[in-house]
Amino acid sequence: MLYFCPIKVNEMNAAIDVAVPLPKICVLFPGALGDFICFLPALEILKQNADLDLFARPEFSGLVSLPVKVRSLDGFEVRQLFVPGAARDEGLCDFFGSYTAIYSWTGNQEKEFVNQLIQVSGGRARVYPFRATDRKFHQTDYYLACLNETYERPRSPVIAVSAEAVAWIENYWTEHTLDGQARLILAPGSGAREKNWPADFYLKVADWWRHQVQGAVVILLGPVEEERGGLDLLLDRFPVAQNLSLAQVAALLARSHLYLGNDSGITHLAAAVGVRTVALFGPSDLHQWAPRGDRVTLLRRNADCSPCTISVMKECPHRRCLTELYPRDVIEKVAGLPEIANLTRRGVGITV
């Protein structure tokens, strides 16, 4: 990518445009979807006036726009950095040496990787820990702090839905006879089963929405949930959206009236596209992982043992932080949201 800088030519008393290459930046980012959404404000800083190659999960390409180009983190060049002696590879030196700057949030604990990346980049690489050690440091703020960026007000990730995805979702609503209805998207899964609100609780919210709001419910199902199972109560009764690209998921969320989900990457995505988002938190730390956005509502039961560590979460015998966050309490909060109150029929109370 090129930008043009006007340069005065005294002899001709005129200006000509000379093509000057943009700085070329490499970013290595290993995180899953939720991590990546938190990383977006830092990515916005890095891509300013730069030609940026992002080595990450290929599916993230549907969530970013030029000048960011997404390449697989599993590609040959990155994998070679973990191989002893790779720093002597001239091809590798040429590849990474072509970048003006390199920022890596992968390999921090791998001395071989760090040393070789610094060597092949001519000392232009900066390597950071993937996550903040201070749990009261929100992950978005941590990535910005790595770039020495601080703000008086918290920065929120923002994702614009592509025109292609907008066209797709309009056809999707029509094909599934969901056009013109108040749409609730439920995402009952996450990367860890221990973070999930019970499926039968989701069912009660779905039934309330269908009967009291008289709207449509769509269950958003990812590969993890499909493989894990345990959601038949929902899948047997409501339309299921599955096998979607992240760009399509973003459009599905952005063109709905309400999203309800656990602490998950999809919940961060919902907040980033601007749909009214209700996030259910149990064992996770709100200070570090709460989705950010102007239309986000966070619900949790303040159990004395939460938040907790991953090891404690995996062995928890009661999961009170989620099992005692009752459907009626969630429904009352949802019904009180201004956008949702406008959808309900006047004079109709809340029933569970």
Side-chain angles (χ1 to χ4, degrees), residues 81 87 107-108 110-123 125 127:
L81 293 173
N108 174 258
E110 300 286 342
K111 290 184 179 180
E112 190 79 50
F113 175 92
V114 174
N115 291 335
Q116 296 200 126
L117 180 57
I118 292 174
Q119 290 182 59
V120 298
S121 67
V127 184

Side-chain angles (χ1 to χ4, degrees), residues 215-238:
V217 178
V218 177
I219 309 301
L220 185 55
L221 193 68
V224 173
E225 291 76 41
E226 187 174 3
E227 180 179 348
R228 184 183 291 157
L231 298 174
D232 292 344
L233 283 173
L234 294 164
L235 305 184
D236 292 342
R237 297 181 59 174
F238 301 100

Side-chain angles (χ1 to χ4, degrees), residues 197 204-205 325-333 350-352:
W197 206 43
K204 291 184 178 180
V205 175
L325 178 60
Y326 299 115
R328 180 179 182 85
D329 299 327
V330 172
I331 290 170
E332 288 178 347
K333 291 290 185 181
I350 299 172
T351 58
V352 181

Side-chain angles (χ1 to χ4, degrees), residues 278-290:
V278 177
L280 306 172
F281 266 67
S284 304
D285 193 335
L286 279 172
H287 294 291
Q288 188 174 13
W289 293 112

Side-chain angles (χ1 to χ4, degrees), residues 172-227:
Y172 182 90
W173 295 143
T174 301
E175 291 173 4
H176 293 79
T177 63
L178 297 170
D179 200 12
Q181 299 188 57
R183 297 177 289 264
L184 165 64
I185 306 297
L186 298 181
S190 73
R193 188 192 299 270
E194 295 79 12
K195 295 191 298 183
N196 296 346
W197 206 43
D200 57 322
F201 286 9
Y202 274 106
L203 178 61
K204 291 184 178 180
V205 175
D207 284 340
W208 168 79
W209 183 269
R210 187 171 59 180
H211 296 131
Q212 299 297 317
V213 181
Q214 296 185 345
V217 178
V218 177
I219 309 301
L220 185 55
L221 193 68
V224 173
E225 291 76 41
E226 187 174 3
E227 180 179 348

Side-chain angles (χ1 to χ4, degrees), residues 187 189 259-272 277-281 291:
Y259 166 86
L260 179 68
N262 306 305
D263 168 28
S264 69
I266 295 298
T267 300
H268 283 271
L269 179 57
T277 298
V278 177
L280 306 172
F281 266 67

